Coordinates of all heavy atoms in Angstrom, one line a residue:
N30 N 0.8 -1.2 0.0 CA 0.0 0.0 0.0 C 0.9 1.2 0.0 O 0.6 2.2 -0.8 CB -1.0 0.0 1.2 CG -2.0 -1.0 1.1 OD1 -2.5 -1.3 0.0 ND2 -2.5 -1.5 2.2
A31 N 1.9 1.3 0.9 CA 2.8 2.5 0.9 C 3.5 2.7 -0.5 O 3.6 3.8 -0.9 CB 3.8 2.3 2.0
L32 N 4.0 1.6 -1.0 CA 4.8 1.7 -2.3 C 3.9 2.1 -3.4 O 4.4 2.9 -4.3 CB 5.5 0.3 -2.6 CG 6.6 -0.1 -1.7 CD1 7.0 -1.5 -2.0 CD2 7.8 0.9 -1.8
R33 N 2.6 1.7 -3.4 CA 1.8 2.0 -4.6 C 1.5 3.5 -4.6 O 1.5 4.1 -5.7 CB 0.5 1.2 -4.7 CG -0.5 1.5 -3.6 CD -1.8 0.7 -3.9 NE -1.7 -0.7 -4.3 CZ -2.2 -1.7 -3.5 NH1 -2.8 -1.5 -2.4 NH2 -2.0 -2.9 -4.0
V34 N 1.4 4.1 -3.4 CA 1.3 5.6 -3.4 C 2.5 6.3 -3.7 O 2.6 7.2 -4.5 CB 0.8 6.0 -2.0 CG1 0.7 7.6 -1.8 CG2 -0.6 5.4 -1.7
Q35 N 3.6 5.8 -3.2 CA 4.9 6.4 -3.4 C 5.5 6.3 -4.8 O 6.1 7.2 -5.4 CB 6.0 5.8 -2.4 CG 7.3 6.6 -2.5 CD 8.3 6.1 -1.3 OE1 7.9 5.1 -0.6 NE2 9.4 6.7 -1.3
L36 N 5.1 5.3 -5.5 CA 5.6 5.0 -6.9 C 4.7 5.4 -8.0 O 5.1 5.5 -9.1 CB 6.0 3.5 -7.0 CG 7.2 3.1 -6.2 CD1 7.4 1.6 -6.3 CD2 8.5 3.8 -6.6
A37 N 3.5 5.8 -7.6 CA 2.4 6.2 -8.6 C 2.9 7.3 -9.5 O 2.7 7.2 -10.8 CB 1.1 6.5 -7.9
D38 N 3.5 8.3 -8.9 CA 3.9 9.5 -9.7 C 5.1 9.2 -10.6 O 5.4 10.0 -11.5 CB 4.2 10.8 -8.8 CG 5.3 10.5 -8.0 OD1 5.9 9.4 -7.7 OD2 5.8 11.6 -7.3
Q39 N 5.7 8.0 -10.5 CA 6.8 7.6 -11.4 C 6.2 6.6 -12.5 O 7.0 6.1 -13.2 CB 7.8 6.9 -10.6 CG 8.5 7.8 -9.6 CD 9.5 7.0 -8.8 OE1 10.3 6.3 -9.4 NE2 9.5 7.2 -7.5
G40 N 4.9 6.6 -12.5 CA 4.2 5.7 -13.6 C 4.3 4.2 -13.3 O 4.2 3.4 -14.1
I41 N 4.5 3.9 -12.0 CA 4.6 2.5 -11.6 C 3.3 2.1 -10.8 O 3.0 2.7 -9.7 CB 5.9 2.2 -10.7 CG1 7.1 2.6 -11.5 CG2 5.9 0.8 -10.3 CD1 8.4 2.5 -10.8
R42 N 2.6 1.2 -11.2 CA 1.4 0.6 -10.6 C 1.9 -0.6 -9.7 O 2.5 -1.5 -10.2 CB 0.4 0.2 -11.5 CG -0.9 -0.4 -10.8 CD -1.9 -0.8 -11.8 NE -2.5 0.4 -12.4 CZ -3.6 1.1 -11.8 NH1 -4.2 0.6 -10.8 NH2 -4.0 2.2 -12.4
V43 N 1.6 -0.5 -8.4 CA 2.0 -1.6 -7.5 C 0.7 -2.3 -7.2 O -0.2 -1.8 -6.6 CB 2.7 -1.1 -6.2 CG1 3.1 -2.3 -5.3 CG2 4.0 -0.3 -6.6
A44 N 0.6 -3.6 -7.6 CA -0.5 -4.5 -7.4 C -0.2 -5.6 -6.3 O 0.9 -6.0 -6.3 CB -1.0 -5.1 -8.7
G45 N -1.2 -5.9 -5.5 CA -1.1 -7.0 -4.7 C -1.9 -8.2 -5.1 O -3.1 -8.1 -5.4
L46 N -1.3 -9.3 -5.2 CA -2.0 -10.6 -5.6 C -2.3 -11.4 -4.3 O -1.3 -11.8 -3.6 CB -1.2 -11.5 -6.6 CG -1.7 -12.8 -6.9 CD1 -3.0 -12.7 -7.8 CD2 -0.6 -13.6 -7.6
H47 N -3.5 -11.6 -4.0 CA -3.9 -12.3 -2.8 C -4.5 -13.6 -3.3 O -5.4 -13.8 -4.0 CB -5.0 -11.5 -2.1 CG -4.5 -10.2 -1.5 ND1 -4.0 -10.0 -0.3 CD2 -4.6 -9.0 -2.1 CE1 -3.7 -8.8 -0.2 NE2 -4.0 -8.1 -1.2
V48 N -3.8 -14.7 -2.6 CA -4.2 -16.1 -3.0 C -4.4 -16.8 -1.7 O -3.7 -16.6 -0.7 CB -3.0 -16.7 -3.8 CG1 -3.3 -18.1 -4.2 CG2 -2.6 -15.9 -4.9
G49 N -5.4 -17.8 -1.8 CA -5.6 -18.7 -0.7 C -4.5 -19.8 -0.9 O -3.3 -19.6 -0.7
Y50 N -5.1 -21.0 -1.2 CA -4.1 -22.2 -1.4 C -3.8 -22.3 -2.8 O -4.7 -22.5 -3.7 CB -4.8 -23.5 -0.8 CG -4.9 -23.4 0.7 CD1 -6.1 -23.6 1.3 CD2 -3.7 -23.2 1.5 CE1 -6.2 -23.6 2.7 CE2 -3.9 -23.3 2.8 CZ -5.1 -23.5 3.4 OH -5.2 -23.5 4.8
M51 N -2.6 -22.3 -3.2 CA -2.1 -22.6 -4.5 C -1.5 -24.0 -4.5 O -0.8 -24.4 -3.5 CB -1.1 -21.6 -5.0 CG -1.3 -21.3 -6.4 SD -0.1 -20.0 -7.0 CE 0.6 -19.2 -5.7
D52 N -1.7 -24.9 -5.5 CA -1.2 -26.2 -5.5 C 0.3 -26.3 -5.6 O 0.8 -26.4 -6.7 CB -1.9 -27.0 -6.5 CG -1.6 -28.5 -6.4 OD1 -1.1 -28.9 -5.4 OD2 -2.0 -29.3 -7.3
T53 N 1.0 -26.0 -4.5 CA 2.5 -25.9 -4.5 C 3.0 -26.8 -3.4 O 2.3 -27.3 -2.5 CB 3.0 -24.5 -4.2 OG1 2.5 -24.1 -3.0 CG2 2.5 -23.6 -5.3
E54 N 4.3 -27.1 -3.3 CA 4.9 -27.8 -2.2 C 4.6 -27.3 -0.9 O 4.4 -28.0 0.1 CB 6.4 -27.8 -2.5 CG 7.2 -28.6 -1.6 CD 7.1 -30.1 -1.7 OE1 6.7 -30.5 -2.9 OE2 7.3 -30.8 -0.8
M55 N 4.5 -26.0 -0.8 CA 4.2 -25.4 0.5 C 3.0 -25.9 1.2 O 2.9 -26.0 2.4 CB 4.1 -23.8 0.3 CG 3.8 -23.1 1.6 SD 3.7 -21.3 1.2 CE 2.7 -20.7 2.5
V56 N 1.9 -26.2 0.4 CA 0.7 -26.6 1.0 C 0.3 -28.0 0.6 O -0.9 -28.4 0.7 CB -0.5 -25.6 0.7 CG1 -0.2 -24.3 1.3 CG2 -0.7 -25.5 -0.8
R57 N 1.3 -28.8 0.2 CA 1.0 -30.2 -0.2 C 0.2 -31.0 0.9 O -0.7 -31.7 0.6 CB 2.3 -31.0 -0.4 CG 2.1 -32.4 -0.9 CD 3.2 -33.1 -1.2 NE 4.4 -32.6 -1.0 CZ 5.6 -33.2 -0.7 NH1 5.5 -34.5 -0.5 NH2 6.7 -32.5 -0.5
A58 N 0.5 -30.7 2.2 CA -0.2 -31.5 3.3 C -1.5 -30.9 3.6 O -2.3 -31.6 4.4 CB 0.7 -31.6 4.5

């Protein structure tokens, strides 16, 4: 959130990707 405001005037959009469970090693169990 802080970076998206700080970088907006430089033409940089900062997005956050929110994910629950992705089928990866991390959540195999």
Side-chain angles (χ1 to χ4, degrees):
N30 289 330
L32 290 172
R33 71 172 47 114
V34 173
Q35 189 170 1
L36 294 172
D38 65 348
Q39 297 176 47
I41 300 173
R42 176 176 292 271
V43 180
L46 174 68
H47 297 270
V48 183
Y50 292 123
M51 221 178 341
D52 194 10
T53 64
E54 183 70 23
M55 179 179 151
V56 295
R57 180 178 4 148

